[in-house]
Amino acid sequence: MTLQLPTHNGTHPQKSTDSFTIPQQKEQLENLLYQKVQQGEDISPCIEALYYLASKQTTQDQLQVMWAEVIKERSAFNSLQRVIITAFAILGMIAFLNGAFRSVKPSAAVVNPPAAQQR
C-alpha cells in the first residue's frame, strides 16, 4: 500500500521518506490525516503509518540506549585491561631488577677498602 499525497494537480508518486526524520514524517502524516478527515476519506492507512512511525522511533530509542551501554562496557573493559597490563609490567620490572641486583657480586675493593683510605 502506497500513500499518494494530494497536490494541486491530483496526486504525485510517493517521495522517498529516507531524507526525512521521524518527527517530520509524523508531522506530514498528521497533516494528511487532518486533510482526509476534512474530506471524509478513509484515514486508516494514515493511522497505521503513524503507529508504525511511533514504533520505529521507540525501537531507535531503545537501540541508542543499548549502544550507549555497550560503549560504556567496552570503555570499562579497556580501562581494566590497561590497569592489569600496567600492573603486570611493573611486577615484571620489579622481578627483573630484583634478580639483576642479586646476581651482581660486590667487588672486593668495595667490601674491603684499602687500609690507607681508612682513618
Side-chain angles (χ1 to χ4, degrees):
M1 167 183 7
T2 61
L3 293 176
Q4 299 292 324
L5 300 176
T7 62
H8 61 282
N9 62 355
T11 61
H12 57 73
Q14 182 176 358
K15 294 180 180 178
S16 173
T17 57
D18 293 341
S19 62
F20 296 111
T21 63
I22 290 178
Q24 290 171 332
Q25 291 173 347
K26 285 176 66 175
E27 184 179 342
Q28 287 182 343
L29 277 171
E30 288 167 353
N31 290 337
L32 180 62
L33 179 66
Y34 180 72
Q35 290 173 0
K36 285 186 176 269
V37 166
Q38 284 183 334
Q39 296 171 357
E41 297 179 18
D42 182 25
I43 59 171
S44 59
C46 292
I47 292 175
E48 288 177 24
L50 284 170
Y51 280 132
Y52 169 76
L53 289 175
S55 170
K56 186 176 177 182
Q57 181 66 47
T58 302
T59 303
Q60 283 181 349
D61 292 343
Q62 290 172 344
L63 287 174
Q64 287 176 347
V65 167
M66 288 172 48
W67 184 247
E69 289 175 8
V70 167
I71 290 172
K72 284 181 187 176
E73 289 175 5
R74 283 184 182 173
S75 176
F77 175 76
N78 287 341
S79 296
L80 180 63
Q81 187 178 19
R82 287 185 186 128
V83 167
I84 291 172
I85 289 171
T86 303
F88 276 115
I90 291 170
L91 289 174
M93 289 172 49
I94 290 171
F96 173 76
L97 292 174
N98 188 28
F101 286 128
R102 281 189 180 173
S103 65
V104 174
K105 304 276 185 205
S107 67
V110 174
V111 176
N112 296 320
Q117 292 180 357
Q118 290 181 349
R119 290 186 181 209

